[in-house]
Amino acid sequence: MKNYDLKQEQTLVIVKPDGVQRDLVGEVIKRYEQCGLKLVGLKMVIPTKDMALKHYSIDPEWAIKSGTKTFESYKAKGLPLPGKDPVEFAEGIRRKLPDFMSSGPVVSMVWQGMGAVSIVRKITGSTEPLTSLPGTIRGDYTIDSYTAADTDSRAVRNIIHSSGSVDEANKEIAIWFDKKEILSYRLVSEEIIYDVNLDGILE
Ligand code: UDP
Ligand code: MG
């Protein structure tokens, strides 16, 4: 493949505590593995609340983006908004996320490959399981909603975290992994995915 750098894109995936409790670790790994991405880091940890808060504080725009997305979803369903201001609302969610993320073991992974960030987001599905498309992990394996979570004053249980951009991914990976825990190796299948020529298949 000519643009070799594209192969090096990395993204962070976390199977959240609800995903581990729902016995979905294997299924989740299978989905990302079978699409052609390469697993280059893997560990099971019980996150501290500090780690979780740090993780959700990387993007200075997060509260605006996430709060607006949630408010738009309420509007699209014709439901009364869950608060006055989307940023203030999202800041409330940010305070709830550490409780959720530190409630049990999670499985953190680094996946690598061409367009890894976008490919993983596509397979993961949109934030609210109620409206995540079938075929995605969030759409297929759980049923939570903004309204259910907000009624109970908790974070949405949507099985997976995945990085939203390359910049976010690089910063998030540094929180969850030491450099030496990210492995550099070749997969035979990469030749089929990336090589210009497929010489050598036929005998
Ligand atoms: N979240 C929530 N309520 C909201 C928005 C987000 O509980 O109204 C939680 C949910 O667990 C989500 C996480 O906060 O996965 C991070 O939100 P973000 O908007 O970044 O969604 P994601 O990138 O995970 O799809
Ligand atoms: Mg996000």
Side-chain angles (χ1 to χ4, degrees):
M1 185 183 185
K2 284 179 187 150
N3 196 342
Y4 191 79
D5 281 353
L6 292 174
K7 274 175 65 174
Q8 314 292 348
E9 188 171 309
Q10 294 182 339
T11 190
L12 181 80
V13 169
I14 302 174
V15 185
K16 295 178 179 180
D18 57 328
V20 173
Q21 294 303 317
R22 296 275 316 281
D23 309 311
L24 290 169
V25 175
E27 185 60 35
V28 163
I29 291 180
K30 187 182 103 178
R31 296 260 178 137
Y32 301 126
E33 188 178 37
Q34 292 192 338
C35 80
L37 292 174
K38 176 162 71 175
L39 184 60
V40 296
L42 175 71
K43 63 163 81 160
M44 190 174 217
V45 291
I46 301 171
T48 62
K49 289 188 183 178
D50 280 354
M51 266 174 99
L53 190 60
K54 204 170 163 194
H55 169 84
Y56 283 111
S57 303
I58 279 175
D59 177 6
E61 309 275 284
W62 177 81
I64 301 169
K65 287 192 262 183
S66 188
T68 305
K69 186 171 63 178
T70 303
F71 274 41
E72 289 304 321
S73 168
Y74 271 87
K75 279 185 208 157
K77 295 183 192 109
L79 295 168
L81 294 176
K84 283 196 186 113
D85 173 39
V87 175
E88 202 179 294
F89 173 81
E91 289 301 348
I93 299 290
R94 196 189 332 245
R95 287 192 288 276
K96 289 177 189 129
L97 281 163
D99 282 341
F100 172 37
M101 293 301 281
S102 64
S103 63
V106 306
V107 176
S108 309
M109 300 175 247
V110 180
W111 288 92
Q112 182 176 313
M114 185 167 61
V117 170
S118 309
I119 295 285
V120 162
R121 292 290 282 191
K122 178 187 70 173
I123 293 171
T124 302
S126 58
T127 307
E128 186 193 29
L130 176 68
T131 55
S132 313
L133 293 177
T136 66
I137 294 168
R138 287 166 168 174
D140 283 354
Y141 295 115
T142 195
I143 56 176
D144 206 8
S145 65
Y146 288 134
T147 39
D150 293 339
T151 302
D152 293 343
S153 192
R154 59 169 174 80
V156 171
R157 294 175 189 155
N158 53 11
I159 299 174
I160 302 286
H161 164 79
S162 67
S163 310
S165 68
V166 173
D167 181 53
E168 206 175 287
N170 293 335
K171 290 177 181 158
E172 288 177 357
I173 290 167
I175 293 177
W176 297 88
F177 287 86
D178 289 336
K179 273 212 166 80
K180 62 178 187 323
E181 293 172 323
I182 314 273
L183 309 183
S184 183
Y185 67 100
R186 195 174 69 89
L187 277 180
V188 171
S189 60
E190 287 177 281
E191 288 173 26
I192 299 298
I193 296 170
Y194 298 111
D195 279 10
V196 176
N197 298 309
L198 293 180
D199 304 343
I201 292 177
L202 295 177
E203 295 189 326

